[in-house]
Amino acid sequence: MEMIIGGKKVTKPKMIKVYNPFNGEIVGEVPEAEVSDVKVAIELAEEGKKAMKELPLHKRAEILFNTGLLLEKNEHKITDILVKEVGKTVNEAKSEVLRTADLFKYASEEAKRIHGETLPFSSVTGSENKRGAYILEPVGIVGAITPFNVPLSLAAHKVAPAIAAGNAIVLKPATQTPLNTLMLGELLLEAGMPQKALSVLTGHGSTVGNAIVEDPRIRFLSFTGSAETGKNIAKNAGIKKIGLELGSNAPLIVMDSANIDKAVKATVSGGFSVAGQICISVQRVFVHEKVYEIFIDKLVKKVKEIIFGDPTKEETIMGPVIDEQNAIRIIDWIKEAESKGGKILTGGKRNYTLVEPTVIIDVPLDCKIMQNELFGPAVALRKVKNLDEAINLANQSVYGLQAGIFTKNIFEAFRAAQEIETGGVMINEGPRYRADFMPYGGYKMSGIGREGIRYAIEEMSEIKVICFDIEG
Ligand code: NAP
């Protein structure tokens, strides 16, 4: 496929191959952009940003709505490519495409509601004759860098609010899964996006990504990816606004009053969809001692029922992880937990990139799977005596993206909501729950800022105060 620079399709002599994580076959190839391509894209975006700022809100809304319709129209094509390049199952890929279409339509509604606020100048002595307000203006150019795992939806979480706020966009998808994002770029242009306001550059993070990060003409840098890359970006970005959506090792607490079947269901869907490669995948599960045994029995039974394998087959529930290097790492972490005293109740092996859905219990706290982000299909369980211990363990993490608790006790629910240090606490729901409109982002190493359409629009805008003195 070709990449997009200022709305035009561009190719390069050097191409990067895209592989199918399930079988290693080549799925396609994309141009390897260079730093000079980033410069050209940003020069064109300097013109494109003027066109974007001038677009009335109803026109921005129209582009967003059209993009939603076009995604629905192209559902089969994009689903197919997500299955092939990410290794998602057909159902996972299809729901990502349809959810992304909805996200664009939702953003088209939000675009019509962008406004500032009047300011109470007369509340300050000496300002009795002042009247005024603040308005929101576009920042100009948004730079967006996305990860491999939910590539279409996470690109949309940046592109849709950027358009609503009236900005030009320079977008770089992950090198392992760029094809869906190039398709999205083509649909955005078909939907009416001003050409110079859109570039989708393919190429490596260390060159192309870094050039976007460092350029002072990018006024908001929106990044989703690992904490390690996020740290580099924070160091290199200079004076510009940044939004960092980083990793986590999401905790789930199951108390003795919990609806166990519901908690098991949330653990299975949260721990194993997209083979555990979601930033809010359930990773650490803390279960009250009174229900530990029954929870484990029910969980293991359900995990054993997960059909894993070829993601193109309708019956497959879980596909491969992104590459063999990660599959090896995931198994290493599981084995480390076992060697320190954890017990594997199911799973623990791999075949190429297919890692068995794994449940490991009684996991010591100093294991990697309790400390770091696994990004693979395994959940680690520990027994707890009470809520204090559970909250304390949930907070024993450098991350803080989302958490979940199952309890019927309203006091426990309130305490968890107040005391867990995460950007979201889900009660009687797993940490993987996310509605695309809600503010979403992390405490601690999970990031800076919030996505969710309205909140991202605010971050992608400048506040301008306009103040009149009415004495003339
Ligand atoms: P990653 O390795 O950090 O890569 C993310 C993006 O950053 C890719 O496009 C990558 O390009 C680029 N990049 C790499 N080095 C860069 C640099 N020095 N400067 C600028 N850009 C650079 O992450 P990943 O493995 O693709 O994704 C998994 C991670 O994303 C996990 O940690 C997960 O938790 C996190 N994530 C967070 C959220 C959230 O909303 N909080 C959502 C999804 C995923 P290349 O592909 O060319 O290396």
Side-chain angles (χ1 to χ4, degrees), residues 54-163:
E54 279 165 17
L55 278 183
L57 295 180
H58 68 80
K59 192 71 199 153
R60 296 180 203 167
E62 190 183 301
I63 295 168
L64 291 163
F65 193 76
N66 288 345
T67 308
L69 292 181
L70 285 168
L71 279 164
E72 284 168 355
K73 203 172 133 196
N74 288 276
E75 179 213 306
H76 292 295
K77 212 167 86 183
I78 308 178
T79 296
D80 183 56
I81 207 68
L82 282 171
V83 171
K84 286 187 178 139
E85 65 177 335
V86 189
K88 288 192 167 194
T89 65
V90 177
N91 281 336
E92 287 169 346
K94 184 176 171 180
S95 73
E96 182 174 352
V97 178
L98 294 179
R99 187 168 166 175
T100 306
D102 281 349
L103 190 157
F104 273 99
K105 288 186 186 167
Y106 201 101
S108 84
E109 293 166 32
E110 281 295 336
K112 297 176 194 161
R113 295 193 274 265
I114 295 175
H115 58 83
E117 203 171 286
T118 55
L119 294 169
F121 282 102
S122 72
S123 61
V124 178
T125 311
S127 292
E128 292 79 3
N129 292 328
K130 301 282 192 280
R131 301 287 183 276
Y134 77 79
I135 59 167
L136 295 180
E137 291 204 324
V139 288
I141 310 174
V142 169
I145 300 177
T146 48
F148 77 81
N149 62 330
V150 199
L152 186 73
S153 165
L154 295 174
H157 265 292
K158 304 181 184 319
V159 168
I163 294 172

Side-chain angles (χ1 to χ4, degrees), residues 155-233:
H157 265 292
K158 304 181 184 319
V159 168
I163 294 172
N167 293 299
I169 298 148
V170 177
L171 169 62
K172 192 209 94 64
T175 302
Q176 286 176 309
T177 61
L179 300 171
N180 66 88
T181 314
L182 289 172
M183 286 179 177
L184 173 66
E186 288 175 10
L187 298 185
L188 284 162
L189 292 168
E190 196 180 331
M193 179 87 183
Q195 292 219 343
K196 288 179 180 165
L198 181 71
S199 291
V200 184
L201 298 167
T202 47
H204 298 292
S206 52
T207 51
V208 178
N210 189 52
I212 297 172
V213 169
E214 287 186 340
D215 198 295
R217 292 168 294 179
I218 300 281
R219 298 311 304 146
F220 183 81
L221 192 281
S222 176
F223 171 75
T224 301
S226 63
E228 201 183 321
T229 311
K231 265 194 230 167
N232 265 322
I233 287 178

Side-chain angles (χ1 to χ4, degrees), residues 16-34:
I16 303 172
K17 291 186 173 53
V18 180
Y19 296 94
N20 183 329
F22 175 64
N23 53 23
E25 282 171 10
I26 295 170
V27 181
E29 51 178 22
V30 294
E32 182 177 340
E34 295 160 71

